[in-house]
Amino acid sequence: MSTRHVPVLIIGSGPAGYTAAIYAARAMLNPVLIAGMEQGGQLMITTDVENYPGYADPVQGPWMMEQMLKQAEHVGAEIVNDLVTEVELTNRPFTVTTDSGAVWTCDALVIATGAQAKWLGIPTEKDFMGFGVSACATCDGFFYRGKKVVVVGGGNSAVEEALYLSNLAAEVTVIHRRDGFRAEKILQQRLFDKPNINVIWDTEVVEYLGTPAQPPMPASVTGIRVKNRKTGVISDMPIDGVFVAIGHAPAVSLFKDKLKHKSNGYLWTAPDSTATDVPGVFAAGDVTDDIYRQAVTAAGMGCMAALEAERYLAGHVRQAEAAE
């Protein structure tokens, strides 16, 4: 079992992690980024990206993450393809153990492990992710202007997604497995006031319908199969796109009982900061951002985390010098 010390260690390889690595490397902090099993995060299952600044034409999510990886390496960050299995934050330096058996110690830790959208888990779901099935209206709603779309869910996220899509799509149908929303009353009222939003209660989506991928043609959703939970009646609905809005699950299992969490499970950070409740540990991107969950905001938080880590380390150097 090898042990290696680095000033800054970054866990996670989405926009937040790569941006933190870029800024930390440019600050001459020799950062190491441990990429994890799902390199690139949720953008790896995103097709056309049109809302990230700097690209006049749509770009593919996986290509964008490849470019971020190359940029991080170009400026001096070291990328390690391994999976973190344990972290120890009670002693200094911090200790991180990986699946390969390597042990890393660091003076500052940036957590950018992200979050994953919760999916319905039906058999055809993976075939159509990014090709008519999405978990982000802000990301993909633009592609459904003037079309018919479905939003699945009944909480705040689902209602907010439907309201957003109502300004783009010709018709929005919200499908909820219960007979009432869990969303805030004011959001429900706004939804019911929208003339192009319909609601189907007590119903669940059991299958996505469409054309499977046949290279060079991609997969394409043409409808959904739904089941009424009370009557058992199964029917088909022709639609152009489905937005699954049943919540997100932040990747925080490594930090249970080690860092402060928000009430919804995301990592807590100080206001206008990426600092967690443990000095020297910073959280950036979707692992802490339960509001925006965008690639550009994750990248911005990665920048913040690196800058704050740099200041934290500089302060400790000054303290050490003063002690001597």
Side-chain angles (χ1 to χ4, degrees):
M1 182 179 295
S2 61
T3 301
R4 180 178 162 194
H5 180 80
V6 293
V8 177
L9 190 68
I10 301 162
I11 305 176
S13 55
Y18 284 141
T19 305
I22 290 166
Y23 272 79
R26 285 174 54 82
M28 307 303 291
L29 295 177
N30 301 317
V32 169
L33 182 150
I34 301 179
M37 293 294 291
E38 297 182 3
Q39 295 186 40
Q42 295 184 72
L43 277 177
M44 297 302 290
I45 58 170
T46 303
T47 51
D48 288 345
V49 178
E50 287 192 332
N51 58 359
Y52 197 93
Y55 302 100
D57 298 315
V59 296
Q60 297 293 299
W63 178 86
M64 179 185 287
M65 299 320 301
E66 180 184 359
Q67 295 302 301
M68 287 192 186
L69 165 62
K70 290 180 177 179
Q71 184 178 4
E73 291 179 322
H74 174 74
V75 295
E78 181 181 345
I79 312 299
V80 175
N81 295 316
D82 207 343
L83 176 68
V84 174
T85 56
E86 187 178 350
V87 295
E88 173 55 57
L89 305 178
T90 55
N91 299 311
R92 308 302 171 109
F94 306 123
T95 302
V96 172
T97 305
T98 67
D99 186 60
S100 68
V103 177
W104 299 84
T105 61
C106 61
D107 300 311
L109 179 66
V110 175
I111 299 167
T113 47
Q116 289 186 331
K118 296 178 181 178
W119 298 95
L120 299 178
I122 56 183
T124 52
E125 196 158 48
K126 289 185 178 180
D127 297 334
F128 293 106
M129 284 181 184
F131 300 99
V133 176
S134 172
C136 181
T138 310
C139 308
D140 300 326
F142 182 79
F143 302 111
Y144 296 91
R145 290 168 295 170
K147 297 184 178 182
K148 293 183 179 182
V149 298
V150 161
V151 175
V152 182
N156 281 356
S157 294
V159 173
E160 288 170 348
E161 296 274 271
L163 288 169
Y164 178 86
L165 289 165
S166 70
N167 297 316
L168 299 169
E171 183 180 324
V172 180
T173 300
V174 181
I175 296 178
H176 187 33
R177 64 199 308 269
R178 297 184 175 87
D179 60 1
F181 288 131
R182 303 183 309 278
E184 297 172 8
K185 294 298 183 182
I186 189 171
L187 290 176
Q188 293 188 42
Q189 190 57 55
R190 290 174 186 168
L191 183 140
F192 294 136
D193 288 343
K194 285 282 189 176
N196 64 335
I197 298 182
N198 306 307
V199 181
I200 299 178
W201 305 109
D202 301 309
T203 299
E204 59 186 357
V205 178
V206 295
E207 188 176 352
Y208 297 108
L209 307 174
T211 306
Q214 297 178 343
M217 298 301 294
S220 176
V221 166
T222 58
I224 53 174
R225 183 159 292 154
V226 297
K227 178 181 180 181
N228 186 288
R229 290 166 56 83
K230 290 186 174 180
T231 66
V233 173
I234 295 176
S235 58
D236 293 349
M237 275 182 66
I239 49 89
D240 299 302
V242 183
F243 291 84
V244 179
I246 57 175
H248 285 73
V252 294
S253 59
L254 285 170
F255 315 105
K256 184 180 180 181
D257 301 325
K258 297 176 182 179
L259 290 172
K260 182 178 178 180
H261 290 58
K262 301 177 187 178
S263 60
N264 58 6
Y266 287 74
L267 290 183
W268 176 91
T269 54
D272 301 318
S273 172
T274 63
T276 68
D277 62 319
V278 174
V281 178
F282 306 91
D286 287 5
V287 74
T288 182
D289 177 12
D290 55 342
I291 299 175
Y292 303 105
R293 293 193 293 263
Q294 299 298 301
V296 68
T297 51
M301 294 180 75
C303 164
M304 291 169 60
L307 295 176
E308 289 185 293
E310 180 185 7
R311 292 169 188 161
Y312 170 80
L313 294 175
H316 271 251
V317 169
R318 288 194 294 270
Q319 290 177 9
E321 291 174 345
E324 293 175 355

